[in-house]
């Protein structure tokens, strides 16, 4: 009898220790999850949010795969991410049509199957033994899908409780929406509402950044001022709505000749400003002349008035990296802008529809 009681007591002790260990493990998992969710809520930029999901979630919870599909029907996410250098190995996909994700309304656990959305074919699903598909939603509308994958079949079984996974999906959904909303608000503040190009506020900040980068990398920086010739006549003869249409059309023609990292901004009224890093004088001349020629050769079509022929005057200046070295970035930026502005004035005074490149920075007194 005593032996039986001792055996039962030992079994109970072992069982209790096992339950305590399981409880501690669950508590640790909850704490890690809460810490990760807090970091997500504190993140304000897409790279930070994506890094927490695609890197930290994977390593912190011993997962073999974490992948993310995001709905981007308005191309906002693509635009927001273009300015960041995201790691190429991140399993991230943007889709324009959310239809493949609509059937998923609850977390789906178990082994990968043929019924999984085809948009997941990029993340190595067939190599996994179990996965959790977490729908990300805004109300009833799908905004994405978070995939957690494991090479252990027991990691995500069909009979597993999904409360914590639902909570994680809800937090991720809110964080992604908040981050996108914040990005949209910032974009409104630095985007010209008429043309969709950057505005002067954005240009002023970017100019400072480009001056600093010029100092670090040792390349020249060129600035072009572009002014639509006789624009007042367009407004007087055809109305301000037509004038707005002309401004937008000219902006599109100018943008066509720029590289991805160049900057075109509407400086005010009918005037644009362009930054061209790391170009030689002959290249600046060629780019500016292509712009001028295209505007001149491509009339702006109007709905009921045929078309309008417009031209532009361009003033350009190029700041070599060694000139004004050691001066404050604000002073170097001001000198570059003034030189391009004076060149534009010369172009307009000498007949318009022409390019003038400033010779100011050849003066040794500026060094």
């Amino acid at each position: 009898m005593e032996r039986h009681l001792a055996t039962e007591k030992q079994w109970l002790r072992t069982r209790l220790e096992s339950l305590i260990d399981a409880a501690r493990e669950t508590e640790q998992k909850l704490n890690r999850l809460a810490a990760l969710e807090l970091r997500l809520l504190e993140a304000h930029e897409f790279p930070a949010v994506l890094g927490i999901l695609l890197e930290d979630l994977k390593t912190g919870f011993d997962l073999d795969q974490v992948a993310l599909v995001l709905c981007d029907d308005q191309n906002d996410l693509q635009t927001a991410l273009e300015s960041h250098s995201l790691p190429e190995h991140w399993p991230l996909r943007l889709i324009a049509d959310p239809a493949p994700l609509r059937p998923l309304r609850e977390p789906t656990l178990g082994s990968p199957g043929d019924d999984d959305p085809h948009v997941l074919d990029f993340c190595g699903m067939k190599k996994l033994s179990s996965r959790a598909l977490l729908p990300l939603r805004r109300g009833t509308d799908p905004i994405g899908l978070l995939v957690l994958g494991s090479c252990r079949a027991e990691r995500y079984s069909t009979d597993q409780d999904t409360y914590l996974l639902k909570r994680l999906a809800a937090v991720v959904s809110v964080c992604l929406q908040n981050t996108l909303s914040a990005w949209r608000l910032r974009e409104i503040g630095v985007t010209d509402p008429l043309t969709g190009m950057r505005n002067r506020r954005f240009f002023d900040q970017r100019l400072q950044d480009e001056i600093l980068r010029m100092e670090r990398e040792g390349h020249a920086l060129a600035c072009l001022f572009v002014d639509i010739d006789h624009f007042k006549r367009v407004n007087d003869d055809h109305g301000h709505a037509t004038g707005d249409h002309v401004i937008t059309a000219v902006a599109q023609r100018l943008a066509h000749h720029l590289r991805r990292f160049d900057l075109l901004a509407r400086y005010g009224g009918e005037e644009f400003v362009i930054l061209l890093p790391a170009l030689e004088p002959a290249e600046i001349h060629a780019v500016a002349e292509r712009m001028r020629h295209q505007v001149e050769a491509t009339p702006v079509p109007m709905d009921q008035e045929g078309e309008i022929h417009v031209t532009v005057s361009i003033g350009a200046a190029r700041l070599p990296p060694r000139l004004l070295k050691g001066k404050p970035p604000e002073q170097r930026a001001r000198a570059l802008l003034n030189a391009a502005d004076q060149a534009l004035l010369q172009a307009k005074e000498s007949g318009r529809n022409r390019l003038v490149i400033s010779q100011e920075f050849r003066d040794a007194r500026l060094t």
Side-chain angles (χ1 to χ4, degrees):
M1 184 68 176
E2 290 181 0
R3 179 187 243 172
H4 176 74
L5 290 175
T7 301
E8 185 174 352
K9 185 177 180 181
Q10 181 61 39
W11 180 87
L12 290 173
R13 181 181 294 111
T14 303
R15 179 62 175 162
L16 179 60
E17 290 175 352
S18 176
L19 290 173
I20 291 174
D21 290 341
R24 286 173 178 167
E25 183 179 351
T26 300
E27 182 182 17
Q28 292 173 358
K29 185 182 297 185
L30 284 171
N31 289 338
R32 292 201 310 273
L33 181 60
L36 183 133
E37 291 172 342
L38 183 60
R39 290 178 56 207
L40 280 171
L41 292 169
E42 292 175 342
H44 300 295
E45 299 285 348
F46 276 113
V49 173
L50 296 177
I52 293 171
L53 291 176
L54 300 177
E55 297 279 2
D56 300 347
L57 179 58
K58 179 180 178 181
T59 57
F61 290 83
D62 192 26
L63 294 166
D64 296 294
Q65 179 65 292
V66 174
L68 186 62
V69 177
L70 295 176
C71 302
D72 191 24
D73 55 341
Q74 298 182 18
N75 208 40
D76 284 351
L77 287 171
Q78 180 67 44
T79 303
L81 296 177
E82 282 178 351
S83 59
H84 302 285
S85 298
L86 301 181
E88 294 184 2
H89 69 274
W90 277 3
L92 170 67
R93 171 174 282 183
L94 306 182
I95 59 173
D97 183 7
L101 305 185
R102 291 193 188 281
L104 297 172
R105 298 184 176 276
E106 298 289 336
T108 302
L109 280 60
S111 58
D114 295 336
D115 293 337
D116 288 347
H118 65 84
V119 294
L120 297 178
D121 57 7
F122 73 102
C123 61
M125 292 289 288
K126 294 181 179 179
K127 299 179 181 179
L128 302 174
S129 297
S130 65
R131 88 287 183 260
L133 307 181
L134 310 186
L136 308 177
R137 308 184 76 84
R138 179 180 57 245
T140 58
D141 297 325
I143 64 171
L145 182 67
L146 180 63
V147 181
L148 311 180
S150 175
C151 292
R152 293 186 290 116
E154 70 276 9
R155 180 65 184 268
Y156 294 114
S157 58
T158 55
D159 58 350
Q160 183 177 334
D161 183 76
T162 60
Y163 169 75
L164 292 180
L165 296 176
K166 287 181 180 179
R167 192 179 86 172
L168 175 61
V171 171
V172 171
S173 298
V174 169
C175 291
L176 288 171
Q177 292 176 70
N178 288 346
T179 305
L180 183 58
S181 296
W183 175 82
R184 284 170 173 160
L185 285 175
R186 289 195 297 270
E187 284 295 293
I188 291 173
V190 296
T191 302
D192 173 53
L194 175 62
T195 63
M197 306 298 171
R198 295 304 190 185
N199 60 17
R200 182 169 179 173
R201 176 183 177 186
F202 182 90
F203 171 82
D204 289 341
Q205 179 57 54
R206 176 71 174 272
L207 178 58
Q208 300 291 324
D209 296 339
E210 289 295 339
I211 291 289
L212 293 174
R213 186 163 69 170
M214 178 183 72
E215 293 177 351
R216 291 195 307 269
E217 300 180 4
H219 61 65
L221 179 63
C223 176
L224 277 61
F225 272 115
V226 183
D227 188 80
I228 302 175
D229 296 327
H230 303 296
F231 182 73
K232 186 175 183 301
R233 294 180 188 174
V234 176
N235 278 337
D236 292 343
D237 295 345
H238 303 280
H240 288 279
T242 298
D244 289 347
H245 183 61
V246 168
I247 288 174
T248 301
V250 170
Q252 292 170 349
R253 287 157 174 70
L254 298 176
H256 178 72
H257 297 279
L258 299 181
R259 301 165 294 179
R260 182 181 59 82
F261 50 84
D262 295 332
L263 173 65
L264 166 64
R266 186 181 178 198
Y267 206 63
E270 69 274 19
E271 191 171 44
F272 300 92
V273 63
I274 298 170
L275 289 180
L276 301 173
L279 288 183
E280 296 300 319
E283 295 173 310
I284 296 167
H285 184 278
V287 171
E289 278 294 286
R290 285 198 298 269
M291 292 178 177
R292 188 186 66 79
H293 278 299
Q294 182 173 1
V295 173
E296 181 182 20
T298 313
V300 179
M302 308 306 298
D303 292 337
Q304 299 177 345
E305 301 181 34
E307 55 189 25
I308 297 178
H309 292 262
V310 295
T311 60
V312 294
S313 299
I314 303 177
R318 177 180 182 270
L319 181 64
R322 290 184 298 275
L323 289 182
L324 299 177
K325 190 172 184 179
K327 300 294 184 181
E330 298 83 0
Q331 182 176 340
R332 302 182 80 182
R334 194 161 51 246
L336 179 61
L337 287 179
N338 289 341
D341 193 38
Q342 288 301 310
L344 174 63
L345 183 61
Q346 293 176 33
K348 294 168 70 173
E349 290 178 345
S350 58
R352 293 185 169 85
N353 188 26
R354 64 193 61 209
L355 164 68
V356 171
I357 298 181
S358 173
Q359 303 299 311
E360 183 171 350
F361 294 122
R362 292 186 178 183
D363 191 334
R365 290 175 299 175
L366 288 173
T367 60

